Amino acid sequence: MSRRRRRDPRETRPPDDVFAEMLLAARELLAVRSPLDAELMVSDMLGAWWGRRLRGGDVEQILGEGLVDYAAKAGTPAALTLLVSVAYLGTARQAAKAEGAALALMESDVARPRWADRVGAVKPTGCYVSRDVYGDQDTVVCTFAYNGEDRHALVVVVDYNMGGMARDAWVSSQVDKLLEQARLEAAGNALLRFEELEPQQARALLEFAMKATRAAAHGRTARKLVSDSYSAYHAFARARIKALPPGRMRPAPAHTEAPYSRDRRAMLAAEFLASDAAENLSDPSAASRCADHIIDYGCDQDFGRPMRVSPTKCETFLLDWLPRKVLLSPSEQDAMPHVLSAWVRFAGPRIGLPDEGVRATLDAVWEATARFTEAYRDPTTFGLDRSLVERLLPDGDLSALARRAFAFPLLQGMRGSTSLDLLNPADEADRRILLEIDHADELGRTDLEEHLAWHEEIASRLWVGDPPQLWEAAQRLIDLGHDRHDVLHVLIEIAERIGDHPDELAAALDDIADIPDEPPT
């Protein structure tokens, strides 16, 4: 198999042709009449690379700051208007560079439109939120104006079933119509609330939401999770949020509960199992374990809210989280939909969910039940021995199965007088034995101890999934058809070269596209 040379990050160069095209488009800024239109146009430009990754560097630095440098050198009126807008809309580094470059061009008497002095000169005029009674989603509306003129609204949708991330954003100039429509929708829907929001609360909520979306972007998934328009309004939203008065940062949503200790979780499970809602559950043991999973999901994935129930949350739990994260026994697989329905009947009234909401949530659970049997694929159905799976997943983390099996592929049979079935890959001493057996044909190496130590380091990291980029890089190389040991050796070479620098290690692993011509041994 031919092997393509890995590209050196230093070979990455700012695409001047792209910058030239963007600067040409920036000429339209000279014709607009309001700072709002200009800000929206530039936000759209800056959104062209939002959420994308560049091999060898940060996209906001290479493209964002590269655009600023290119415009500064161009020195045209269009370049100046672009710099003025980026000074308000860009990241902190982009804004600082753009402001300095803009001031230099102004001192050189480069012409700029009248609206340039009003960019970002807005004040908030009101904040509102539309909330469903389930607690699934907030639609936050913040209104602004330039000295009482050009009133407009920033609308951001925050989804708590997606980690509290902002998944949609847009801007409307029809503020009164927008607010009136929201009030009418809430008045005609018992499951919807519309209310004013303190500007400080709005800022804290939106900063949390955009941070959650940014974290998802680093995981290469944000563009799939957000709306098509989010990237275009991202820079505008970020800047407008800073125009709101700062408030005490609090976790989102505002009604997050206090952390649940293990004892508190156990007491809640016991209360549920003793309730009337759970009296018809036929397998108490399986029901108890299922209740633990439901409570853990609410505490760990839903901002400490195990009692919150909704159609969307229950579907996400059954069809997405459980199939990816939890190893269920056959009895637990059978019991889970029934236990979840009982939990809805138990928790819904206690959190004040209207009867209509409880019924809708129960309907969603039963509609998802048939799909759950298809979505949840027990590893043993693929021919894996349950005892083997349990050795690889002592913590029940189903998402770890593939990477742990990759780290420790020899777990069954005999090697000489050693029974692999008796070795525990979660035990440090047994790990060493497994790795020595995996290198039985390399016992003559003079550097064997050091080499095994590095294999043990990588195996330990794969076991816990830290950093996640390690397994992602391994999968990319496996998909290209590379041998397992070659892949491990590349991971070792990178870990050894980078050392104890987590961010640099994650970036280097992200940059792996293929194995070099001569993989290290």
Side-chain angles (χ1 to χ4, degrees), residues 61-98:
Q61 180 178 351
I62 293 176
L63 295 182
E65 296 177 34
L67 175 61
V68 171
D69 292 338
Y70 188 89
K73 293 177 182 177
T76 62
L80 176 56
T81 57
L82 179 61
L83 290 169
V84 168
S85 299
V86 174
Y88 171 66
L89 295 167
T91 65
R93 286 171 56 99
Q94 292 166 7
K97 295 186 71 171

Side-chain angles (χ1 to χ4, degrees), residues 390-462:
E390 289 174 352
R391 276 196 290 158
L392 287 168
L393 305 179
D395 53 1
D397 184 2
L398 191 56
S399 65
L401 181 60
R403 67 171 189 268
R404 291 177 181 175
F406 174 77
F408 299 101
L410 301 177
L411 291 173
Q412 292 179 305
M414 297 291 296
R415 289 296 187 275
S417 60
T418 302
S419 174
L420 299 179
D421 300 80
L422 299 179
L423 296 177
N424 179 11
D427 179 80
E428 185 174 336
D430 284 0
R431 281 184 183 179
R432 182 71 175 198
I433 296 173
L434 288 167
L435 290 172
E436 289 174 353
I437 292 173
D438 197 21
H439 288 76
D441 58 346
E442 299 182 52
L443 297 180
R445 290 182 62 138
T446 57
D447 64 342
L448 181 61
E449 286 301 312
E450 180 182 2
H451 187 66
L452 286 176
W454 274 111
H455 270 280
E456 191 169 2
E457 169 74 12
I458 296 300
S460 297
R461 287 180 173 274
L462 286 169

Side-chain angles (χ1 to χ4, degrees), residues 117 167 241 251 293 334:
D117 293 333
R167 66 171 178 81
I241 290 170
H293 294 313
D334 293 337

Side-chain angles (χ1 to χ4, degrees), residues 126-142 154-160 167 170 178-198 202 205-206 253 255:
C127 294
Y128 311 84
V129 61
S130 177
R131 288 180 167 140
D132 62 73
V133 297
Y134 297 115
D136 282 333
Q137 178 176 288
D138 285 348
T139 300
V140 182
V141 181
C142 298
L154 168 68
V155 185
V156 180
V157 177
V158 181
D159 194 324
Y160 298 114
R167 66 171 178 81
W170 68 92
L178 176 70
L179 296 177
E180 182 61 21
Q181 182 179 358
R183 292 189 183 97
L184 290 175
E185 288 180 357
N189 187 342
L191 302 179
L192 198 61
R193 304 284 185 269
F194 182 73
E195 55 198 21
E196 287 196 47
L197 191 64
E198 289 293 328
L205 192 160
L206 293 177
H255 46 284

Side-chain angles (χ1 to χ4, degrees), residues 323-343:
R324 289 187 301 107
K325 293 294 294 181
V326 180
L327 179 64
L328 297 174
S329 69
S331 61
E332 292 165 0
Q333 294 172 44
D334 293 337
M336 182 58 78
H338 303 280
V339 178
L340 183 57
S341 295
W343 182 265

Side-chain angles (χ1 to χ4, degrees), residues 31 36-37 44 47 66 112 114 133 201 226 234 239 267 287 293 328 382 416 425 430 438 443 461 463 497:
L36 175 61
D37 289 339
D44 192 16
R112 66 184 190 274
R114 294 180 180 178
V133 297
Q201 289 180 303
V226 301
H234 170 262
M267 290 176 61
H293 294 313
L328 297 174
F382 298 102
D430 284 0
D438 197 21
L443 297 180
R461 287 180 173 274
W463 185 270
R497 172 167 52 86

